[in-house]
């Protein structure tokens, strides 16, 4: 196998998106378009990746990171001009280069690999990734000779009526012999209405030199979708979401209503887990086996064990164990850890807290900046008072403690192992293990109080 290189075209601003966000950074199923492309390219045996950046260069580089080298296209003068910016890094090297646009997030790594293999097998100097389109209007048509090799690409506006009946179209993704690519780029002109340098002109140059140009037809036209506006972005989202959801279902996950279930591309889900409608699972979330998620739950960047239920609740950047029961209407905020067999009930908010194995906060509580041990019961309406207006403070509740309803634990404070806090208390001092903390006014009854009020009337 020869050396392999990749050039990712990601310099365009995308004016048709009508957005402050640069086009290739618009997300599809929770990940920027260009990141999808990079991830697919990285799944191949690629020696060097070069990303051509322009508008929003620093943000694009920040998103992609160190997996790619970068070159800057200061003026957007066409696709051939963009590829030419990588000359200093790639020109003269032996091998094969794939050129792919950063706004084509649906092209699979398997399709790119098949394109590489077809190119290397045919010995062509260039290979075009093509597709069969039901409606090829607007696309360049691929003209083949009797041997099936490419004769030329005809743009729609220049095609005859007979040529327009051809349904094989140019997708804009190519494999080239690397040395031949950069030699041909030197001869690309800009004698056209836009005054730009177009990469398809390389095909014509190679043909004029008597070189072989082949084409590889992808089985899915959907893969070739280029995103240039919000309508196409929505279509890409729909196609990828269907692809992701079908993959999970084939791996043993039950999606009650796939059309109304939103799962990001990097999410991992174990078999026999059930996802109900209206659920959004994003980031690098992992969910174990035999879980129940939803309906109408939002999970992002979480690690969730097996046999856990999360109903109508939200969880972010947290670790949730096995056989945990969360919801409905619970909110697990970042940096929380919910250990096995814990219960977080309705209208309970957990923030930057550890909830030990078997502990329960069943209703209407706020547990923030806290370390809660095992088998702790936190009564309805209890609060860890963690903020003094300037700093956050830690509350510790040790194993087996019982916190009565409507209690305030004013941090920093510790409730010892097996201790009790009486309902309605505001605890400002540590409660010793096995002790009882009571901090509330003594009840006083005023007899015949209502009658006296009536007399005043």
């Amino acid at each position: 196998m020869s050396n392999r290189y990749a050039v990712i075209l990601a310099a365009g601003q995308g004016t048709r998106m009508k957005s402050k966000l640069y086009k290739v950074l618009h997300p599809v199923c929770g990940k920027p378009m260009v990141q999808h492309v990079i991830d697919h390219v990285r799944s191949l045996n690629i020696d060097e990746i070069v990303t051509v950046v322009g508008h929003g260069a620093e943000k694009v580089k920040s998103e992609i990171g160190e997996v790619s080298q970068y070159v800057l296209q200061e003026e957007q003068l066409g696709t051939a001009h963009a590829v030419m910016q990588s000359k200093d890094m790639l020109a003269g090297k032996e091998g094969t280069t794939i050129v792919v646009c950063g706004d084509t997030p649906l092209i699979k790594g398997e399709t790119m690999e098949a394109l590489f293999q077809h190119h290397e097998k045919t010995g062509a100097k260039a290979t075009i990734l093509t597709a069969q389109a039901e409606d090829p209007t607007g696309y360049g048509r691929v003209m083949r000779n009797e041997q099936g090799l490419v004769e030329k690409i005809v743009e729609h506006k220049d095609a005859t009526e007979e040529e327009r009946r051809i349904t094989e179209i140019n997708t804009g993704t190519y494999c080239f012999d690397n040395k031949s690519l950069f030699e041909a780029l030197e001869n690309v002109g800009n004698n056209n209405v836009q005054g730009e340098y177009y990469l398809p002109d390389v095909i014509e140059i190679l043909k004029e030199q008597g070189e072989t140009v082949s084409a590889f037809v992808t089985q899915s036209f959907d893969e070739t979708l280029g995103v240039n506006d919000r309508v196409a972005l929505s279509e890409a989202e729909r196609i990828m979401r269907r692809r992701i959801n079908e993959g999970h279902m084939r791996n043993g996950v039950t999606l009650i209503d796939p059309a109304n279930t939103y799962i990001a591309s990097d999410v991992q889900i174990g078999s026999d887990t059930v996802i109900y409608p209206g659920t959004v699972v994003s980031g690098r979330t992992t969910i174990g086996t035999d879980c129940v998620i939803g309906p109408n739950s939002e999970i992002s960047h979480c690690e969730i064990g097996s046999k856990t239920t999360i109903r109508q609740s939200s969880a972010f950047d947290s670790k949730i164990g096995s056989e945990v029961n969360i919801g409905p209407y619970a909110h697990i905020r970042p940096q929380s850890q919910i250990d096995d067999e814990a219960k977080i009930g309705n209208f309970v908010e957990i923030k930057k807290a550890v909830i030990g194995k078997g502990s329960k906060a069943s209703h209407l509580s706020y547990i923030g900046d806290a370390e809660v041990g095992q088998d702790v019961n936190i009564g309805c309406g209890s609060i860890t008072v963690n903020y003094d207006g300037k700093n956050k403070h830690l509350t510790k509740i040790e194993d087996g403690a019982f916190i009565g309803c409507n209690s305030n634990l004013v941090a920093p404070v510790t409730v010892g192992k097996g201790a009790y806090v009486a309902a309605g208390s505001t605890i400002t001092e540590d409660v010793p293990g096995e002790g009882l903390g009571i901090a509330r006014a003594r009840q006083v009854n005023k007899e015949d109080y209502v009658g006296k009020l009536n007399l005043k009337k």
Side-chain angles (χ1 to χ4, degrees):
M1 180 184 296
S2 64
N3 293 331
R4 289 180 172 183
Y5 313 103
V7 176
I8 314 297
L9 305 184
Q13 185 176 14
T15 55
R16 280 181 282 174
M17 299 296 285
K18 292 181 170 56
S19 174
K20 297 183 292 295
L21 185 65
Y22 302 105
K23 179 171 70 169
V24 297
L25 294 181
H26 278 266
V28 174
C29 290
K31 184 189 295 184
M33 289 191 284
V34 69
Q35 188 65 59
H36 282 291
V37 175
I38 290 287
D39 289 348
H40 293 320
V41 167
R42 291 185 67 201
S43 70
L44 311 175
N45 185 25
I46 299 292
D47 295 281
E48 292 183 55
I49 301 173
V50 179
T51 302
V52 183
V53 295
H55 292 286
E58 293 306 315
K59 289 186 178 180
V60 174
K61 290 161 68 173
S62 175
E63 179 64 42
I64 296 172
E66 298 179 357
V67 300
S68 174
Q69 303 178 77
Y70 300 93
V71 293
L72 179 65
Q73 186 187 23
E74 293 185 2
E75 292 183 89
Q76 277 64 64
L77 300 178
T79 49
H81 179 259
V83 176
M84 195 63 175
Q85 305 312 300
S86 62
K87 175 182 177 181
D88 290 344
M89 292 183 178
L90 298 179
K93 293 183 178 181
E94 299 284 350
T96 302
T97 295
I98 186 171
V99 179
V100 58
C101 295
D103 62 0
T104 54
L106 298 173
I107 298 179
K108 298 178 182 178
E110 299 95 312
T111 300
M112 296 183 190
E113 177 61 32
L115 176 64
F116 264 116
Q117 291 187 9
H118 181 85
H119 176 81
E120 292 164 355
K121 180 180 179 180
T122 59
K125 294 297 182 180
T127 302
I128 307 163
L129 181 66
T130 68
Q132 294 291 341
E134 291 185 8
D135 180 8
T137 303
Y139 290 96
R141 307 306 203 279
V142 176
M143 315 295 294
R144 294 180 183 251
N145 61 21
E146 294 178 355
Q147 290 74 41
L149 298 176
V150 175
E151 281 292 322
K152 60 180 178 178
I153 299 173
V154 180
E155 295 303 319
H156 178 86
K157 63 181 182 299
D158 299 323
T160 65
E161 286 301 318
E162 182 179 356
E163 290 169 338
R164 289 185 178 185
R165 286 194 288 270
I166 295 172
T167 57
E168 185 178 9
I169 56 95
N170 175 23
T171 69
T173 297
Y174 309 87
C175 269
F176 294 99
D177 172 82
N178 187 68
K179 292 180 70 174
S180 298
L181 168 63
F182 285 95
E183 290 169 0
L185 284 171
E186 298 286 355
N187 297 316
V188 173
N190 65 341
N191 186 23
N192 52 63
V193 174
Q194 286 76 23
E196 295 185 351
Y197 301 86
Y198 294 133
L199 191 57
D201 289 351
V202 170
I203 302 299
E204 184 175 345
I205 291 168
L206 292 174
K207 289 297 298 181
E208 290 174 353
Q209 294 173 351
E211 303 290 359
T212 298
V213 175
S214 67
F216 175 76
V217 184
T218 178
Q219 296 302 306
S220 173
F221 177 77
D222 287 346
E223 285 190 57
T224 69
L225 176 68
V227 176
N228 292 310
D229 57 25
R230 305 285 182 139
V231 175
L233 182 67
S234 174
E235 180 67 6
E237 178 85 18
R238 182 189 66 81
I239 293 168
M240 184 169 289
R241 177 156 49 89
R242 183 185 64 198
R243 182 191 296 176
I244 291 169
N245 288 354
E246 287 180 358
H248 285 298
M249 288 187 287
R250 295 186 190 283
N251 286 330
V253 178
T254 296
L255 304 184
I256 301 299
D257 184 359
N260 289 293
T261 303
Y262 304 85
I263 302 174
S265 59
D266 291 332
V267 171
Q268 299 178 31
I269 306 175
S271 62
D272 291 318
T273 284
V274 179
I275 311 289
Y276 280 86
T279 294
V280 179
V281 187
S282 61
R284 296 187 179 276
T285 294
T286 61
I287 301 174
T289 61
D290 300 291
C291 293
V292 176
I293 309 295
N296 304 315
S297 293
E298 184 178 4
I299 314 294
S300 179
H301 293 289
C302 286
E303 179 183 337
I304 300 172
S306 297
K307 299 182 180 179
T308 285
T309 297
I310 301 177
R311 285 194 171 93
Q312 293 159 308
S313 297
S314 300
F316 304 94
D317 300 283
S318 294
K319 184 175 181 179
I320 299 168
S322 296
E323 299 184 59
V324 174
N325 198 314
I326 295 177
Y329 312 117
H331 186 187
I332 311 301
R333 290 171 58 188
Q335 301 182 57
S336 295
Q337 178 179 321
I338 316 297
D339 289 343
D340 298 347
E341 302 173 28
K343 180 180 179 181
I344 308 299
N346 52 293
F347 300 103
V348 174
E349 182 175 352
I350 308 293
K351 175 258 178 185
K352 199 178 180 181
V354 176
I355 307 297
K357 181 178 179 180
S359 291
K360 300 176 181 178
S362 296
H363 348 262
L364 300 158
S365 295
Y366 170 73
I367 312 299
D369 294 282
E371 295 177 3
V372 178
Q374 298 184 17
D375 299 313
V376 171
N377 187 85
I378 298 175
C380 178
S382 296
I383 296 171
T384 60
V385 185
N386 58 331
Y387 185 48
D388 64 7
K390 184 176 181 181
N391 297 305
K392 300 290 179 70
H393 300 280
L394 180 67
T395 297
K396 293 185 179 181
I397 306 174
E398 297 181 352
D399 296 350
F402 182 96
I403 310 300
C405 293
N406 200 35
S407 295
N408 299 310
L409 306 181
V410 183
V413 71
T414 297
V415 178
K417 185 174 181 180
Y420 275 61
V421 171
S425 294
T426 295
I427 300 298
T428 59
E429 298 179 3
D430 293 351
V431 180
E434 306 294 332
L436 170 64
I438 305 175
R440 62 192 184 200
R442 184 178 297 276
Q443 181 174 327
V444 177
N445 294 333
K446 301 292 186 179
E447 295 186 8
D448 198 27
Y449 182 71
V450 175
K452 291 177 181 178
L453 289 177
N454 290 336
L455 287 175
K456 288 181 180 180
K457 295 180 179 178

